[in-house]
Amino acid sequence: MIRFTLVELMLCIAIIGILSTLLLPGLNNAKCRARGVQCMSNHRQLTMAWKMYNDDNNERLLFASGDYNRPELNPYAWVLGLLDFNPANSSNWDVERDVKKSPLWPYCGQSAAIWKCPADNSAITVNGKRLPRVRSMSMNLWLGGFAGLDYGLSGGAYRIFFSVNQLTDPGPARTFVFLDMREDSIDIGNFATDMHGWPDNPTQTGFYDFPASYHDRAGGLSFADGHGEIRRWVDPRTMPPLVYNGLIPDILSSPRNPDVVWLQERSTRRK
């Protein structure tokens, strides 16, 4: 029988602690990279569904959001439904409510998982059961707008794109389609880049919505040519502290924010 003295046991525990300290950062980094790879795969698949829909519909783009003042146009929005943290609102947790009714659903390979970043752990507690929310991806508002309208966002001075053929400037490789949104900023189907200040007055930049930073201060996007990117945000104002189980005030000024300018370059152009 092998016996250890108290000193030897304490030494073993200390060695295990040191090894854990050395190994855990590497394991966390590997987990973060794996989630990033899966996020990009989801983005590419959802964007492929968007492209296939366009191919089947004479290159006509879906709306980034519906318009409840004109419900006859809502079937042409990429997704309906409001995300919040109300357990009575099944849009949060039931893919049957909105996701499977999306015009893109027939092109999604029956996979609701591609609508979400795997690093988004937001959930709703319903009847004592914790249910993951259905979506973290939102569409660039300037692709179709609110059923074709901008409702004066950014002063009404920027283009809404209605067909693939219009995506010449900034071009398909520089026009984002989907973007991961923070759990406390996502609501309806669009991500609205505030275009105020573009292209030559960065003192006016600000937010209508916040992008996600699930990947170590970075967020996933996909583009009209089909490629995806994980963008590392550089301005702390783009990543305010998360509001858990609630919505953060996200319409605010953020002068000279390089992250906003980066998004503006990849959203739309002046009329």
Side-chain angles (χ1 to χ4, degrees), residues 13 25 140 165-166 170 175 212 249:
I13 292 171
N140 178 1
N165 295 332
Q166 293 176 347
T175 303

mmCIF file of all heavy atoms in Angstrom, residues 13 25 140 165-166 170 175 212 249:
data_model
loop_
_atom_site.group_PDB
_atom_site.id
_atom_site.type_symbol
_atom_site.label_atom_id
_atom_site.label_comp_id
_atom_site.label_asym_id
_atom_site.label_seq_id
_atom_site.Cartn_x
_atom_site.Cartn_y
_atom_site.Cartn_z
ATOM 1 N N ILE A 13 -1.458 18.620 -4.704
ATOM 2 C CA ILE A 13 -2.571 19.544 -4.934
ATOM 3 C C ILE A 13 -2.073 20.846 -5.556
ATOM 4 O O ILE A 13 -2.684 21.403 -6.475
ATOM 5 C CB ILE A 13 -3.318 19.810 -3.613
ATOM 6 C CG1 ILE A 13 -4.029 18.534 -3.155
ATOM 7 C CG2 ILE A 13 -4.308 20.958 -3.768
ATOM 8 C CD1 ILE A 13 -4.604 18.623 -1.752
ATOM 9 N N PRO A 25 -6.640 28.443 -19.751
ATOM 10 C CA PRO A 25 -6.721 29.466 -20.813
ATOM 11 C C PRO A 25 -6.666 28.860 -22.210
ATOM 12 O O PRO A 25 -7.378 29.296 -23.113
ATOM 13 C CB PRO A 25 -5.498 30.353 -20.532
ATOM 14 C CG PRO A 25 -5.235 30.180 -19.077
ATOM 15 C CD PRO A 25 -5.564 28.742 -18.798
ATOM 16 N N ASN A 140 -29.338 43.221 -42.148
ATOM 17 C CA ASN A 140 -29.016 44.606 -42.460
ATOM 18 C C ASN A 140 -30.294 45.352 -42.858
ATOM 19 O O ASN A 140 -30.942 45.017 -43.849
ATOM 20 C CB ASN A 140 -27.998 44.609 -43.604
ATOM 21 C CG ASN A 140 -27.606 46.004 -44.059
ATOM 22 O OD1 ASN A 140 -28.055 47.026 -43.547
ATOM 23 N ND2 ASN A 140 -26.727 46.048 -45.061
ATOM 24 N N ASN A 165 -29.328 43.066 -58.032
ATOM 25 C CA ASN A 165 -28.671 43.879 -59.060
ATOM 26 C C ASN A 165 -28.321 45.280 -58.575
ATOM 27 O O ASN A 165 -27.469 45.946 -59.182
ATOM 28 C CB ASN A 165 -29.566 43.975 -60.299
ATOM 29 C CG ASN A 165 -29.771 42.634 -60.971
ATOM 30 O OD1 ASN A 165 -28.909 41.759 -60.890
ATOM 31 N ND2 ASN A 165 -30.916 42.451 -61.624
ATOM 32 N N GLN A 166 -28.955 45.737 -57.499
ATOM 33 C CA GLN A 166 -28.653 47.062 -56.962
ATOM 34 C C GLN A 166 -27.430 47.073 -56.047
ATOM 35 O O GLN A 166 -26.951 48.141 -55.667
ATOM 36 C CB GLN A 166 -29.869 47.597 -56.201
ATOM 37 C CG GLN A 166 -31.069 47.892 -57.084
ATOM 38 C CD GLN A 166 -32.282 48.330 -56.283
ATOM 39 O OE1 GLN A 166 -32.328 48.206 -55.056
ATOM 40 N NE2 GLN A 166 -33.290 48.849 -56.976
ATOM 41 N N PRO A 170 -21.917 49.399 -51.770
ATOM 42 C CA PRO A 170 -20.511 49.012 -51.684
ATOM 43 C C PRO A 170 -20.121 47.702 -52.359
ATOM 44 O O PRO A 170 -18.959 47.314 -52.319
ATOM 45 C CB PRO A 170 -20.264 48.916 -50.179
ATOM 46 C CG PRO A 170 -21.592 48.755 -49.548
ATOM 47 C CD PRO A 170 -22.600 49.316 -50.463
ATOM 48 N N THR A 175 -21.126 44.320 -48.533
ATOM 49 C CA THR A 175 -22.464 44.613 -48.009
ATOM 50 C C THR A 175 -22.869 43.453 -47.105
ATOM 51 O O THR A 175 -23.062 42.333 -47.586
ATOM 52 C CB THR A 175 -23.490 44.765 -49.140
ATOM 53 O OG1 THR A 175 -23.072 45.781 -50.043
ATOM 54 C CG2 THR A 175 -24.858 45.141 -48.563
ATOM 55 N N ALA A 212 -23.313 42.072 -31.553
ATOM 56 C CA ALA A 212 -22.833 41.159 -30.512
ATOM 57 C C ALA A 212 -21.313 41.159 -30.466
ATOM 58 O O ALA A 212 -20.632 41.530 -31.426
ATOM 59 C CB ALA A 212 -23.349 39.748 -30.775
ATOM 60 N N PRO A 249 -30.703 50.365 -23.439
ATOM 61 C CA PRO A 249 -30.934 51.545 -24.293
ATOM 62 C C PRO A 249 -29.852 51.578 -25.374
ATOM 63 O O PRO A 249 -28.662 51.697 -25.067
ATOM 64 C CB PRO A 249 -30.801 52.718 -23.319
ATOM 65 C CG PRO A 249 -31.027 52.137 -21.956
ATOM 66 C CD PRO A 249 -30.484 50.744 -22.027
#
